[in-house]
Amino acid sequence: AAFAGGCRFGEIGRSAPMAGFYAPPLKRIRIGFVGVGSRGFAAVKRIALIPGCEVTAVCDINADRMPQLPLKGSTVRQIARVTTSGELMKLKFSNQYGTSDVVVKSLHVAKQVQADKSTIDTATDTVVTVNGSEEFVIKAGQTIETDPVDFPVEALENIAISMYFENGPTSNVTGHRGARATTYQVAGDSVSAATFSGNVKTTTSWFFICDIAIDMPEDGRAIVCFGDSITDGYGTDADYLGKKPDSYT
């Protein structure tokens, strides 16, 4: 017998009464898949090999994995939780899959006030530079690192990374679609705004962020988690520490 999606296959002809309902035995089980994505196709192949199963339809509803959020002329505030304390921070951004450059006019970091709000503590608002300049370009297919910035944080604090974009790709956007943290967007330059207001757009993806490094003592330690979307918190509520690695912090 084989297992798929919590169901046992192999003895297709069996059927059991349930609350007065009796289903006649099936000679074949027909299955349709919606929104399978790249990982789902492997499951489709496995199920297709199970005797008595027939895949009748496959549909991937995501033409572009990342949200279609036009970046030009807007400020995007992304929230991330640091897992260790430190005084010095450095960020890394990636445009690995982009076909055009990302032009950032301004980049700031600050501490978030409340987990599910765009509000920041303006007393912590800090400019971040790249090669000494607040304005920088992430070339298509490349990654960059910021200059180190004095920004003291405590373990498990949320930080807000606010980026004002002059321009950015509209497709093949590099990011993390399932960040499980709310990202906020408003028109214009609002990197230092205490909170976003007006026509605020939200998503639960990260754009271009690929690393937040904090200077640690030489005897510092880290735990690295390998896994799939479940490890990354799939199915949990955004903003509330539902990822597997969060349980170790």
Side-chain angles (χ1 to χ4, degrees):
F3 291 84
C7 299
R8 181 184 178 93
F9 298 99
E11 301 178 39
I12 304 300
R14 284 191 180 178
S15 178
M18 183 175 63
F21 173 78
Y22 183 83
L26 298 174
K27 293 182 179 180
R28 296 187 67 79
I29 294 178
R30 295 179 175 86
I31 304 173
F33 294 86
V34 178
V36 292
S38 58
R39 191 165 67 93
F41 277 113
V44 173
K45 291 178 181 178
R46 289 194 297 269
I47 290 176
L49 297 175
I50 298 174
C53 289
E54 178 182 348
V55 177
T56 58
V58 176
C59 174
D60 189 353
I61 60 175
N62 297 303
D64 193 322
R65 287 292 187 185
M66 286 293 290
Q68 300 302 293
L69 197 69
L71 301 172
K72 183 177 181 179
S74 73
T75 300
V76 175
R77 179 166 289 171
Q78 307 180 76
I79 309 300
R81 174 157 294 191
V82 297
T83 56
T84 190
S85 303
E87 303 288 328
L88 201 63
M89 178 184 294
K90 186 165 62 174
L91 307 175
K92 181 184 289 186
F93 298 95
S94 174
N95 190 20
Q96 180 177 350
Y97 304 109
T99 55
S100 60
D101 295 347
V102 177
V103 182
V104 179
K105 297 289 289 183
S106 183
L107 169 64
H108 285 216
V109 293
K111 294 184 180 182
Q112 187 187 31
V113 172
Q114 184 175 327
D116 58 350
K117 303 293 182 183
S118 66
T119 308
I120 61 169
D121 178 358
T122 55
T124 66
D125 183 40
T126 305
V127 176
V128 182
T129 59
V130 175
N131 295 324
S133 175
E134 189 173 353
E135 181 177 343
F136 57 91
V137 176
I138 314 173
K139 294 288 187 181
Q142 296 185 16
T143 61
I144 64 164
E145 286 187 351
T146 69
D147 302 322
V149 57
D150 290 318
F151 190 75
V153 292
E154 297 295 330
L156 305 185
E157 280 191 314
N158 282 2
I159 64 169
I161 302 168
S162 300
M163 306 175 74
Y164 175 42
F165 294 95
E166 178 180 288
N167 218 335
T170 56
S171 61
N172 296 330
V173 176
T174 303
H176 182 24
R177 179 172 177 261
R180 279 95 199 176
T182 303
T183 291
Y184 307 87
Q185 183 193 40
V186 292
D189 183 358
S190 296
V191 291
S192 294
T195 190
F196 284 2
S197 59
N199 184 21
V200 182
K201 298 179 181 178
T202 61
T203 182
T204 52
S205 298
W206 284 328
F207 295 81
F208 310 115
I209 299 172
C210 62
D211 187 50
I212 301 172
I214 298 174
D215 191 35
M216 293 180 62
E218 290 185 1
D219 60 352
R221 297 291 184 267
I223 297 174
V224 179
C225 297
F226 292 93
D228 55 17
S229 56
I230 294 175
T231 305
D232 199 31
Y234 180 79
T236 61
D237 294 332
D239 304 314
Y240 290 103
L241 290 174
K243 302 177 183 180
K244 291 285 186 180
D246 292 329
S247 63
Y248 297 113
T249 58

